[in-house]
Amino acid sequence: MKLGLSSYSLSRAIGSNEMTILDAIQWIADQGGQHMEVVPIGFDLTNNHELIEAIRHKASDAGIELSNYAIGADFLKAGDGAFEQEIERVKREVDIAHSLGLKLMRHDVAMSSDISIKHFNEELERMASACRQIADYASQFGITTSVENHGYFVQASDRVQALIHAVNRPNFKTTIDVGNFMCADEDSVSAVKNNIAYASMVHIKDFYLRPSDQNPGEGYFKTASGNYLRGAIVGHGDINMREVLRVIKQSGYDGYLSIEFEGMEDCKLGSKIGMDNVQRLWSEV
C-alpha cells in the first residue's frame, strides 16, 4: 500500500495562489506522503508541456510518485457530434496522463438529472461504448482507465459493476471512493466489499451523515434520497473507516490509497490529519 494525497484536497490553496501544484508536491512529500494524484483543478495541463514536465521533475526530486490522473467527462451530452467530440477530448487527456508517466487514469462517464435505474439501463451501452474506445486507446500506453463512483448517475456499487462488465476490457476498472457511496445512500463498508475486486485506485474520503428530516444548514448537500452529507476529515466522520480499511487490506489490494479531503476545515490541516489517521488505522487493522 502507498499512501498519498489527491491534489484535489489542496485545490482551495492552489486556487487562492497560496501554493502552486509544484508546492503541493513538496508539501505532500514533507507530510510523509508517498504519491500525489493529479487532478487538474486550479491549474491546466492542456497544451502545457512545460508544466507537465515540471510536475514530473518535481515529484522525482521530492521522492514521491505520481499515481493517477483524474478528469471529468460526460458521454450523455446532447448535440450533433457531441458524443464523438467528448471521446476525442478524453483521448487527449489520456495523452496527458501518458506524458505525466502515469499508468492509471480516472474519467467520469455521465451526468444526468434523471438518475433512475430505467434511464441508467437505457444509457448503459452508450456509456460503455465510450469507455471501451478510451480504454482501447489507453492500452497502447499501458494505461488502465477507470470509472469512479461519482455524480449520482453511476455511483451505486452495482451500477459501477454493470458498467465495468459492459465495457469488458482488462484495462477498465474502478476508482473506488469509499465515501462517495454515501451519496447514493449506500453503506461504505458493504459497497467497498462489493467492488474492491475491481479497483485500480482507492480514494479515502469521509463524510458526516444526517437524516433527511434534520437539515443541518450551510455546508451540507443532499444524497440521492434526500439525506444530508458534509465532507469530514478522514477518521472524524460517520464512516466506519477502520472497517473500510480492514476490508481493503484483507482483499489483498496493495495499490495507492489517495486521501481526498473536502471538508470545511483548512485544507492543509484536514489533509494532514487524514493522512496521519489512515496511516495509523492501516497499521492497526
Side-chain angles (χ1 to χ4, degrees):
M1 184 277 290
K2 295 181 180 179
L3 179 63
L5 191 73
S6 169
S7 67
Y8 169 72
S9 300
L10 300 172
S11 58
R12 282 182 297 194
I14 295 170
S16 67
N17 296 318
E18 179 184 345
M19 61 168 57
T20 67
I21 186 59
L22 303 183
D23 295 332
I25 294 170
Q26 187 62 56
W27 187 88
I28 294 167
D30 291 345
Q31 312 315 308
Q34 296 171 285
H35 72 89
M36 184 186 78
E37 183 178 15
V38 182
V39 184
I41 297 175
F43 59 98
D44 188 5
L45 298 180
T46 304
N47 298 319
N48 197 344
H49 186 71
E50 183 177 346
L51 182 55
I52 290 171
E53 286 301 302
I55 289 171
R56 290 189 65 168
H57 289 132
K58 181 62 180 177
S60 178
D61 291 345
I64 68 172
E65 298 178 26
L66 299 176
S67 52
N68 188 44
Y69 184 52
I71 61 138
D74 181 5
F75 301 116
L76 300 189
K77 288 181 177 180
D80 291 343
F83 180 69
E84 292 78 12
Q85 290 169 15
E86 186 71 341
I87 290 171
E88 290 305 309
R89 183 189 69 81
V90 175
K91 286 181 180 178
R92 302 290 75 78
E93 298 281 11
V94 172
D95 293 339
I96 291 174
H98 176 57
S99 296
L100 285 164
L102 297 172
K103 295 302 180 184
L104 299 176
M105 175 179 163
R106 181 223 84 181
H107 61 79
D108 288 333
V109 174
M111 300 291 291
S112 177
S113 58
D114 180 357
I115 62 172
S116 67
I117 189 64
K118 177 178 181 293
H119 188 218
F120 174 83
N121 287 333
E122 290 170 347
E123 300 291 356
L124 180 56
E125 180 49 36
R126 179 184 177 93
M127 295 186 294
S129 173
C131 295
R132 223 176 274 130
Q133 293 178 59
I134 293 160
D136 288 346
Y137 180 79
S139 66
Q140 67 184 305
F141 304 122
I143 292 175
T144 294
T145 57
S146 65
V147 59
E148 185 175 345
N149 50 310
H150 178 72
Y152 295 100
F153 192 55
V154 190
Q155 193 145 24
S157 60
D158 55 354
R159 295 193 186 192
V160 171
Q161 278 194 45
L163 180 61
I164 290 169
H165 291 302
V167 174
N168 192 27
R169 292 294 188 271
N171 67 320
F172 183 75
K173 298 187 177 183
T174 181
T175 290
I176 288 182
D177 187 306
V178 307
N180 278 352
F181 290 115
M182 295 177 73
C183 303
D185 300 284
E186 231 181 331
D187 172 71
S188 291
V189 174
S190 299
V192 171
K193 284 180 180 178
N194 287 345
N195 280 13
I196 189 62
Y198 304 95
S200 60
M201 181 79 185
V202 176
H203 289 172
I204 307 296
K205 182 190 294 174
D206 209 345
F207 282 119
Y208 298 110
L209 173 66
R210 298 294 181 268
S212 60
D213 61 347
Q214 298 177 24
N215 184 348
E218 184 176 354
Y220 282 77
F221 65 94
K222 288 187 175 183
T223 70
S225 66
N227 294 310
Y228 292 93
L229 293 178
R230 175 163 78 84
I233 294 172
V234 174
H236 288 192
D238 292 320
I239 292 176
N240 185 350
M241 197 59 67
R242 182 182 298 273
E243 189 59 25
V244 164
L245 292 173
R246 189 193 314 278
V247 168
I248 295 168
K249 192 172 189 177
Q250 291 183 349
S251 76
Y253 176 84
D254 63 353
Y256 298 106
L257 297 184
S258 186
I259 303 295
E260 271 203 351
F261 170 72
E262 55 182 39
M264 297 178 70
E265 298 87 350
D266 173 78
C267 64
K268 291 187 289 185
L269 177 65
S271 297
K272 171 60 174 170
I273 294 173
M275 290 174 69
D276 289 345
N277 281 344
V278 171
Q279 186 73 60
R280 174 177 52 82
L281 290 169
W282 187 265
S283 69
E284 294 173 355
V285 298

